[in-house]
Amino acid sequence: MSAPFDPTEKFAAYAHPSKLVSTQWLAEHRGDAGLVVVESDEDVLLYEVGHIPGSVKIDWHTDLNDKVNRDYIDGAAFSALMTSKGITRDSTVVIYGDKSNWWAAYALWVFTLFGHDDVRLLDGGRTKWLAEDREITTTASPVTRTDYPVIERNDVPIRAFKADVLAHFGNPLIDVRSDEEYSGARTTMPAYPEEGALRGGHIPSAASVPWARAAATDSTFRTRSELDGIYLGEAGLAAGDDVIAYCRIGERSSHTWFVLTHLLGFDNVRNYDGSWTEWGNAVAVPIAVGSAPGTAPAPRP
Amino acid sequence: MSTDLLNEIREDFLALEQKDRLLLLLEFANELPELPQKFQDHPDLLERVIECQSPVFIFVEVDADGAFHLHATAPRESPTTRGFASILAQGLDGLSAEEVLAVPDDYSQSIGLSEAVSPLRLRGMSAMLGRAKRQLRDRLAA
């Protein structure tokens, strides 16, 4: 059973308006049968500080990642997670979080790896909900366990590996990190920890569009025309493009993946979650430094 | 005073299950004291810990009796960072300069949070300690 869609006018201009709900819609619908609200934050303690009544917490770090392999959880673990959170295969899941839904978008992307059909973001996330003085609670939400089926993860359509990036040269890449990370400038002082990459810079030919440009100051997504200006205008993407987005470990680029896929309607967008912590440590891959994208090397099949 | 309190804090964390360790960290976050008035009036005295993803600022003080104090501020919406700052502010408070400098640099790795908290955040806590020690050395050298 799926919850009704939010008819908010702003959403109608997006490619997939059904992927967003407004704070007002959620305030009215949060008790609906078949709807599960999920909080997913960068700060792993925020849910405990206060959350939307009835919502459950999914922790990007401990719930969605495999504890041993650098990979996402498998179908059995996802099934166990969903079951423990009271989510069925038919549930409408609305995810919200801190930092303009940065981690909420990451969780949504992982739900998509498992083909969960009806998963949406709360436009404006935690920040907007709090700014509007809407109800929060520290009371744990009662959960009725479900029986979520074991669905194998399907990485191919929306996830890129390093070899996929090497084969992708000549098609658009979007680097969503900060300008300093993109150029390869080192900002840390001596004796302070580096981010864990041996080389700085970016993947040659990648356009720089820091992820947060897609968010307005109130943490909501920018309007369709603003997003068109950024991604089609400045970054030069064209309808039908096959795009790969990346960042440091694939979280910020999930946000951009959401924007390109669901708000702008690109059908072939993949998130390279290995991102800079893999590329910046990999042997014999090309790197460009400075603020210019650099030219695309020949693709390696 | 000695580094007993830091050791106690470590043992308290390690005695708990992962989930409860997070709740203990939340307790610390709630206990982070407000900045003394003199720093609220002079934010320029505070040093930003840029390694932390959220805006956290620290200031180190050695009082007339030679006792160390760490003042820190971090936003309410960053409870993890507040928790780390609070552990250091409480655990280091009242120590001598020598005792503070002798605290292992990898203290943050030893309190059993690396499963529950991302490595980047734990490095933020190490950086807080590193910067506190550096400020202290600067102060002693001045």
Side-chain angles (χ1 to χ4, degrees):
Chain A
M1 186 169 63
S2 125
F5 295 122
D6 182 347
T8 297
E9 196 183 335
K10 173 193 163 193
F11 301 161
Y14 295 134
H16 307 152
S18 63
K19 294 309 239 180
L20 286 176
V21 303
S22 61
T23 50
Q24 183 58 36
W25 183 96
L26 188 59
E28 289 163 12
H29 288 272
R30 64 181 170 77
D32 287 7
L35 173 72
V36 180
V37 183
V38 170
E39 174 157 349
S40 205
D41 297 313
E42 186 205 24
D43 192 305
V44 297
L45 281 177
L46 262 186
Y47 174 87
E48 283 77 11
V49 169
H51 51 265
I52 296 178
S55 64
V56 293
K57 171 185 179 178
I58 289 187
D59 185 323
W60 66 276
H61 186 61
T62 56
D63 289 332
L64 299 179
N65 282 276
D66 186 272
K67 285 190 174 30
V68 178
N69 297 327
R70 183 174 171 188
D71 203 351
Y72 297 101
I73 53 175
D74 62 13
F78 187 74
S79 157
L81 178 66
M82 295 299 99
T83 296
S84 73
K85 300 294 175 187
I87 297 171
T88 69
R89 190 69 175 159
D90 300 328
S91 295
T92 296
V93 177
V94 171
I95 312 181
Y96 74 99
D98 62 350
K99 307 270 161 72
S100 305
N101 279 328
W102 168 356
W103 300 92
Y106 182 74
L108 182 143
W109 180 76
V110 175
F111 272 68
T112 308
L113 290 173
F114 292 96
H116 191 96
D117 183 44
D118 191 1
V119 53
R120 317 178 189 178
L121 288 183
L122 172 66
D123 194 29
R126 180 180 170 94
T127 309
K128 188 157 192 280
W129 186 270
L130 292 180
E132 292 168 349
D133 281 328
R134 295 185 187 273
E135 191 182 350
I136 59 166
T137 182
T138 54
T139 308
S141 307
V143 170
T144 308
R145 286 178 66 83
T146 57
D147 190 12
Y148 197 93
V150 174
I151 307 287
E152 284 318 315
R153 225 175 56 218
N154 183 14
D155 290 341
V156 176
I158 61 167
R159 185 181 187 194
F161 293 93
K162 183 171 121 243
D164 299 323
V165 178
L166 288 165
H168 178 84
F169 282 127
N171 292 294
L173 283 153
I174 304 280
D175 184 318
V176 314
R177 299 171 302 156
S178 63
D179 293 341
E180 292 77 14
E181 290 169 284
Y182 181 83
S183 69
R186 298 260 165 164
T187 54
T188 45
M189 296 165 32
Y192 292 108
E194 269 293 344
E195 292 254 305
L198 288 172
R199 297 297 167 103
H202 55 269
I203 301 176
S205 78
S208 170
V209 186
W211 72 278
R213 293 197 56 202
T217 49
D218 64 354
S219 291
T220 58
F221 286 105
R222 291 196 177 280
T223 62
R224 176 69 189 259
S225 63
E226 288 171 329
L227 295 175
D228 280 341
I230 295 168
Y231 294 97
L232 304 185
E234 294 175 40
L237 296 183
D241 273 349
D242 179 352
V243 187
I244 292 178
Y246 71 94
C247 58
R248 193 183 67 88
I249 55 170
E251 8 67 65
R252 285 172 285 181
S253 42
S254 301
H255 190 273
T256 299
W257 171 87
F258 181 87
V259 169
L260 295 177
T261 301
H262 292 308
L263 304 187
L264 299 185
F266 285 85
D267 289 329
N268 296 301
V269 185
R270 284 173 293 168
N271 180 22
Y272 169 41
D273 59 276
S275 278
W276 199 257
T277 53
E278 178 177 52
W279 197 271
N281 287 313
V283 174
V285 298
I287 289 176
V289 293
S291 55
T295 46
R300 295 189 201 168
Chain B
M1 287 297 289
S2 69
T3 48
D4 287 355
L5 185 56
L6 278 178
N7 292 331
E8 259 176 54
I9 292 172
R10 174 197 292 131
E11 281 161 27
D12 286 348
F13 272 104
L14 294 179
L16 296 170
E17 301 279 328
Q18 281 296 334
K19 233 178 143 180
D20 294 327
R21 288 179 195 174
L22 276 183
L23 294 180
L24 180 57
L25 187 61
L26 182 59
E27 277 179 37
F28 275 102
N30 291 333
E31 287 166 9
L32 182 68
E34 291 290 319
L35 278 184
Q37 194 63 41
K38 59 183 167 180
F39 298 119
Q40 291 188 24
D41 298 341
H42 283 281
D44 50 300
L45 292 174
L46 296 162
E47 172 177 341
R48 172 147 192 198
V49 183
I50 58 166
E51 294 84 354
C52 289
Q53 284 151 310
S54 31
V56 50
F57 296 85
I58 60 165
F59 186 80
V60 154
E61 190 178 30
V62 181
D63 67 22
D65 300 325
F68 175 92
H69 307 285
L70 174 68
H71 305 288
T73 175
R76 289 262 158 216
E77 284 286 290
S78 302
T80 306
T81 305
R82 287 176 66 85
F84 289 150
S86 177
I87 289 171
L88 292 177
Q90 294 186 41
L92 299 173
D93 195 66
L95 298 188
S96 69
E98 293 71 30
E99 286 169 335
V100 171
L101 294 175
V103 171
D105 290 334
D106 63 354
Y107 178 79
S108 67
Q109 312 294 324
S110 72
I111 55 176
L113 285 170
S114 50
E115 259 182 55
V117 180
S118 76
L120 200 58
R121 283 195 167 276
L122 279 174
R123 282 209 287 276
M125 185 182 182
S126 298
M128 244 183 263
L129 178 60
R131 283 176 180 268
K133 286 185 177 183
R134 203 206 64 239
Q135 271 197 29
L136 175 60
R137 282 193 201 96
D138 291 352
R139 201 125 319 157
L140 295 175

